[in-house]
Amino acid sequence: MKKRHHLSFFNSQEEKEELDLMRMRNLSHEERMMEMRQCINVAYGMHGFDPSNLPQKHKITFILPPFIPQT
C-alpha cells in the first residue's frame, strides 16, 4: 500500500494547528497510537514495524553508577 502525499498551504500557523487538531479528534485511540509508533520508528530508524507481530517479552535493564560513599 503506497501512501499519497499532498501539499497544503495555510494562511497562518493557527489555521494549520486547528486543522491538525480536527484531524486528530477524528482518529481513534488506536490510530493515534499507531501514528505515534510510526514517529518513534522513524526517529530510531526502525523499519518494518508490524503491530500484529509484537515481541511477547520485554526486558529493561538499569545500569547504575557504582556507589561512592560520602566522606
Side-chain angles (χ1 to χ4, degrees):
M1 183 172 90
K2 199 169 199 167
K3 285 188 176 183
R4 301 181 91 189
H5 298 281
H6 65 278
L7 185 61
S8 299
F9 295 93
F10 302 96
N11 293 323
S12 66
Q13 183 66 27
E14 291 80 16
E15 184 180 344
K16 179 199 177 300
E17 289 172 3
E18 183 60 34
L19 184 65
D20 288 343
L21 285 173
M22 284 175 43
R23 187 185 66 80
M24 291 298 286
R25 280 187 210 119
N26 292 329
L27 295 177
S28 70
H29 296 296
E30 186 175 300
E31 289 169 324
R32 280 187 246 155
M33 292 299 286
M34 290 300 293
E35 281 194 4
M36 184 179 71
R37 184 69 232 194
Q38 289 171 348
C39 290
I40 292 169
N41 290 352
V42 169
Y44 288 99
M46 300 165 57
H47 303 287
F49 172 70
D50 183 6
S52 62
N53 188 21
L54 296 175
Q56 299 301 312
K57 289 180 104 178
H58 299 279
K59 180 180 178 183
I60 299 173
T61 304
F62 294 97
I63 301 172
L64 301 175
F67 176 71
I68 301 172
Q70 299 290 326
T71 58

